[in-house]
Amino acid sequence: MKSSQDEVHPLWDDFCRDLEPVSGSGELTALKDKYLSRSRGLVSLELRNLKALSPQNRSEAGRQLNALKARVQAALSKRQAEFKEREHRLQLETEQIDVTLPGYHFVQGGLHPLRQVWREMEEISVRMGFTVMSGPEVESDYYNFEALNIPTGHPARDDQDTLYLANKLLLRTHTSPVQIRTMEKQDPPLRIVVPGRVYRRDATDATHSPMFHQMEGLVVDEGITLADLKGTLEVFLKELFSADTRVRFRPSYFPFVEPGAEVDISCIFCAGEGCRVCKGSGWIEIMGAGMVHPRVFQMVGYDSEKYTGFAWGMGIDRIAQLKHQVDDLRLFFENDLRFLRQF
Ligand code: DAH
């Protein structure tokens, strides 16, 4: 007769039948509970019942039960390991990354070349002690002309092809009106620059646009002279172009300054030798400037006996054209990315 020790406990078959359909960790835990739970487990109950047996039978039955318990535990662990392995494989499959797929392409924007030059001009001015101001693009006749000593009927009005709006308003033809607006609000000393958009009734071509950009400058204090104007603009232009840029002043006329001047720089392309850009002259006209006209000071209530000052105005677009050797102004406004990406 076989010893009971070698016989597999009948619970083993039950367990195998129960284990067969188990398909997940949750069910497996429930199954473990059913057989091995300390309080309710079928194997545990059997072990507790050993007490009722005779000492001899007890030890044999005990060994058999312990063997059963070990087999159950091993079978549970094996199945648990299979589940884990399956889960892991599944995770690898679903989270697979195809490193050969093309990446996302982010287009990085940049500052427009005009804005870059605008900023550079502002930065130079701020380093020189100027404050950056701005003013409205829709202006009144008073600020755009009258207060700048350009009364109705003055021939200088005809030079500026003005775009008029309703109610006697207009699109400012220059940044000079911000001189007046600032002086009305602030007492001297004053050191301001005013970059901004300006408008003129011009047909678009390689050198004209109905909208373009200027930067105005104004210095007012006691004892300001023409030497200050020359020195300031020379420093500014050398910073903006290059240290070996030469600057010259030619007498000119603007109603709001006296004396007035046009300012030239030595040609940045031929260093003054004469080329296509400077039309052989060696010089390039870059801005208008002058000593603020006493009448302008009177318009804003400044004491023109006590204060003197100088002002200048230049085209930002023109400077950008020169700096980047762009000979057609229209390129700045067409927003063709093939052009813009170069800056
Ligand atoms: N406002 C003038 C223009 O648009 C430029 C200018 C010339 C401004 C002389 C000034 C100046 O402040 O003093 O043509």
Side-chain angles (χ1 to χ4, degrees):
M1 189 185 146
K2 251 178 158 187
S3 103
S4 58
Q5 204 180 331
D6 298 329
E7 274 172 37
V8 179
H9 193 283
L11 266 180
W12 174 246
D13 285 340
D14 294 351
F15 173 77
C16 288
R17 222 173 298 118
D18 280 349
L19 181 63
E20 172 74 21
V22 166
S23 62
S25 294
E27 287 174 54
L28 200 65
T29 309
L31 188 63
K32 184 178 178 181
D33 249 26
K34 178 174 173 185
Y35 285 87
L36 300 180
S37 153
R38 239 174 226 285
S39 52
R40 294 167 284 110
L42 297 176
V43 178
S44 314
L45 289 178
E46 290 284 330
L47 281 164
R48 228 171 290 158
N49 288 339
L50 286 175
K51 275 184 272 178
L53 299 179
S54 66
Q56 196 209 348
N57 287 344
R58 194 189 297 161
S59 77
E60 272 181 31
R63 267 195 292 278
Q64 198 190 28
L65 271 176
N66 278 327
L68 169 70
K69 189 177 173 185
R71 283 180 93 162
V72 167
Q73 272 168 337
L76 286 170
S77 307
K78 186 166 169 249
R79 185 60 71 87
Q80 181 67 45
E82 282 165 16
F83 287 158
K84 247 199 148 137
E85 159 79 15
R86 192 184 64 185
E87 232 169 78
H88 187 58
R89 242 195 344 263
L90 215 72
Q91 193 183 13
L92 285 180
E93 273 162 30
T94 54
E95 294 180 6
Q96 214 171 47
I97 294 170
D98 182 353
V99 293
T100 65
L101 283 175
Y104 293 106
H105 182 65
F106 294 101
V107 178
Q108 178 135 41
L111 288 180
H112 190 280
L114 287 178
R115 180 63 74 172
Q116 290 177 26
V117 172
W118 168 318
R119 288 229 179 140
E120 189 185 351
M121 290 166 70
E122 271 184 0
E123 280 161 16
I124 295 170
S125 309
V126 167
R127 281 205 297 277
M128 291 174 72
F130 287 83
T131 303
V132 179
M133 304 289 279
S134 61
E137 290 170 29
V138 172
E139 263 298 4
S140 65
D141 183 274
Y142 179 78
Y143 286 109
N144 198 78
F145 294 122
E146 197 80 24
L148 287 162
N149 196 29
I150 317 173
T152 314
H154 193 291
R157 288 205 180 201
D158 302 335
D159 296 344
Q160 305 205 342
D161 303 295
T162 310
L163 288 157
Y164 287 96
L165 306 169
N167 302 325
K168 288 191 165 166
L169 292 172
L170 49 83
L171 289 173
R172 67 178 179 190
T173 58
H174 49 181
T175 41
S176 306
V178 189
Q179 286 189 26
I180 306 296
R181 290 183 174 275
T182 309
M183 288 191 283
E184 277 183 349
K185 278 185 242 132
Q186 279 172 241
D187 288 331
L190 217 63
R191 272 185 302 204
I192 60 161
V193 288
V194 187
R197 289 193 197 97
V198 299
Y199 302 85
R200 292 194 192 171
R201 219 183 57 208
D202 275 330
T204 306
D205 64 24
T207 54
H208 293 87
S209 161
M211 188 282 295
F212 58 104
H213 304 85
Q214 284 188 337
M215 192 170 93
E216 190 83 10
L218 175 69
V219 172
V220 183
D221 204 347
E222 289 179 51
I224 298 288
T225 69
L226 192 69
D228 296 311
L229 178 159
K230 292 185 76 174
T232 304
L233 293 183
E234 195 166 328
V235 167
F236 180 85
L237 291 169
K238 280 176 188 289
E239 281 282 312
L240 187 57
F241 291 100
S242 68
D244 52 11
T245 300
R246 283 166 292 127
V247 180
R248 79 175 182 185
F249 297 78
R250 284 178 290 111
S252 187
Y253 174 75
F254 300 97
F256 32 91
V257 285
E258 181 57 36
E262 253 154 25
V263 184
D264 299 339
I265 54 167
S266 50
C267 181
I268 57 174
F269 300 106
C270 63
E273 294 289 309
C275 67
R276 191 182 58 88
V277 179
C278 61
K279 298 190 185 80
S281 74
W283 296 94
I284 295 174
E285 188 197 321
I286 207 83
M287 64 168 111
M291 300 303 291
V292 179
H293 199 293
R295 192 124 6 114
V296 172
F297 282 152
Q298 285 151 24
M299 296 295 276
V300 297
Y302 278 12
D303 182 349
S304 62
E305 292 295 322
K306 186 172 172 194
Y307 295 110
T308 48
F310 62 91
W312 71 95
M314 62 187 133
I316 295 175
D317 320 68
R318 181 163 159 68
I319 286 168
Q321 269 190 283
L322 287 172
K323 279 177 93 76
H324 297 302
Q325 303 192 35
V326 174
D327 53 17
D328 194 328
L329 182 62
R330 286 169 290 199
L331 286 166
F332 286 131
F333 301 115
E334 284 165 354
N335 286 332
D336 184 333
L337 287 177
R338 290 169 303 177
F339 171 73
L340 295 177
R341 282 207 182 100
Q342 300 176 81
F343 299 96

